[in-house]
Every structure is written in structure tokens, then in C-alpha cells.
Amino acid sequence: MTKDRSIASREDFQYTTPVRPFDVALLTGGGDKPYALGLAAALSATGRSFELVGSDDLELPVLSENPQVRFLNLRGDQDPTVGFARKTARILFYYVRLITYAARTRATIFHLLWNNKFEIFDRTVLLLYYRVLGKKLVMTVHNVNKAERDGRDTRLNRWTLRCQYHLSDHLFVHTEKMKRELETGYGVSPEKISVIPFGINQTVP
């Protein structure tokens, strides 16, 4: 049988730091079910208990009814059709809740699946705040530099990305090319990077 190397089930996808119940927190940014549910399934399969910070979109029985998961709906509604004032208030309220959560949680490992709305803030001030709290930070890097790919890269964007990659304790990427880009373009040590190919999505139809 061929070994399944998807992000949701790779056998050697392990955190090397010993953890106690709910010592891992999965920060999803609020959405992307394939990644969030896949990684949650992988962690559950190892017998770990963990916290998952999500939104209404992720408040599903597969998470809320799983005794290994402490689901925290800090993001709430993400309806894109609401007005600007409500969107702004909703985002700011979420950041307040997230910052408060980080200070109170007993989780010592934060796995960041996605950044939030204000990426420059997330990559710098928010990560520094997590580090001051003593959190170990790991991150899934979906795109090394999305702005460069989309033709809107800036010096500020590259600087904040460098901050993010160096403030993180470990990075997960999906290809060897991405790993080389982190090493050569951002000076990340190869020991800090794990390559886990993203397999066929078997979590969300």
C-alpha cells in the first residue's frame, strides 16, 4: 500500500516538544476547512488534546463534539456582505479576544495556519507578543511570498515576511522549492523547515 503523505495523515508529522493536555493551540485565522479540519484530524489521530481557535464557519460537530478538541469561536461571523463599520468593529473585537486568549491559555505551542486581517501587524507585533508570552511558534507557510506571486510585492512586505519567518520556531512548507526559497531569500535555517506535501483533500468534499 502506498504511504499517504497528505498533511492530514503523514505518520511522521509530529511535534517534537512533549505536550500535556491542551498544550497545543491551532490558530486558523477563522476559515479554510481543508487545512483546519485536516490538521485537527491529524492531531486527534495522535491522541493529543488541543485548542482550536476558529469562527462560525468552523463550528462543526466534527470539532465541537470531539472530546480531544476545545473549540474556541473567537472570530464569530465572517459574513462579507455586512457594512464597513461592522466589519471594522468585528475585526477589532476579534483581535482583542485573540490577544486576551493568548495571555490566558495554558497552551505553550501555537500552530499558525493563517494570519488574520492585518498581516503586517500579525507578522511583527502579534508574533512578538506571543514570544514575550513564552509561546513556541510553528507555522504552515502556504505561499512564501504571495505578493510577489501576484505582482504587488514591496520592501515592507518582504521585511515583515522576514520577521515572521525568523520569529517562528519551525515552518512547514509543501515543496522543496519553497524550502529553498525560505533559505536563500529569507535566510531561514534549513533545520527550521519541514517539507510536507499537500495531498488530495479527503476532509471536505
Side-chain angles (χ1 to χ4, degrees), residues 146-161:
K146 183 173 66 174
E148 182 181 38
R149 180 199 67 186
D150 298 341
R152 50 184 181 82
D153 197 13
T154 65
R155 195 173 290 179
L156 176 62
N157 176 67
R158 291 191 298 274
W159 178 77
T160 59
L161 282 172

Side-chain angles (χ1 to χ4, degrees), residues 74-95:
L74 303 187
R75 189 71 181 263
D77 173 47
Q78 297 188 91
D79 181 4
T81 64
V82 301
F84 176 77
R86 183 174 175 185
K87 281 183 180 178
T88 303
R90 188 173 63 187
I91 292 169
L92 292 177
F93 183 59
Y94 168 66
Y95 271 102

Side-chain angles (χ1 to χ4, degrees), residues 19-193:
V19 294
R20 301 182 299 276
F22 299 111
D23 267 13
V24 173
L26 181 57
L27 309 185
T28 67
D32 202 338
K33 291 178 184 177
Y35 277 97
L37 299 183
L39 185 50
L43 289 173
S44 293
T46 67
R48 298 175 188 276
S49 296
F50 57 96
E51 296 178 334
L52 191 148
V53 174
S55 65
D56 289 356
D57 190 46
L58 292 173
E59 195 160 0
L60 305 168
V62 68
L63 294 176
S64 60
E65 296 177 6
N66 185 338
Q68 292 173 246
V69 181
R70 180 181 291 158
F71 181 79
L72 301 164
N73 186 353
L74 303 187
R75 189 71 181 263
D77 173 47
Q78 297 188 91
D79 181 4
T81 64
V82 301
F84 176 77
R86 183 174 175 185
K87 281 183 180 178
T88 303
R90 188 173 63 187
I91 292 169
L92 292 177
F93 183 59
Y94 168 66
Y95 271 102
V96 170
R97 298 182 74 181
L98 181 63
I99 289 168
T100 303
Y101 160 77
R104 293 179 176 177
T105 182
R106 297 179 64 183
T108 57
I109 301 173
F110 280 10
H111 187 139
L112 291 87
L113 266 184
W114 294 100
N115 286 324
N116 302 293
K117 183 66 175 178
F118 303 123
E119 287 202 296
I120 291 176
F121 175 81
D122 285 15
R123 295 169 182 171
T124 55
V125 177
L126 191 59
L127 288 192
L128 279 171
Y129 172 68
Y130 293 156
R131 292 298 296 260
V132 168
L133 292 174
K135 307 303 181 184
K136 181 178 177 67
L137 305 178
V138 297
M139 168 173 270
T140 298
V141 180
H142 305 277
N143 303 282
V144 174
N145 187 344
K146 183 173 66 174
E148 182 181 38
R149 180 199 67 186
D150 298 341
R152 50 184 181 82
D153 197 13
T154 65
R155 195 173 290 179
L156 176 62
N157 176 67
R158 291 191 298 274
W159 178 77
T160 59
L161 282 172
R162 180 177 289 272
C163 290
Q164 174 176 260
Y165 297 145
H166 284 270
L167 286 170
S168 298
D169 292 286
H170 202 82
L171 303 168
F172 296 101
V173 297
H174 301 317
T175 67
E176 291 290 343
K177 181 180 178 182
M178 294 173 72
K179 180 179 179 181
R180 290 194 299 271
E181 188 176 352
L182 284 172
E183 293 172 9
T184 60
Y186 295 91
V188 180
S189 169
E191 291 77 23
K192 281 183 57 171
I193 310 168

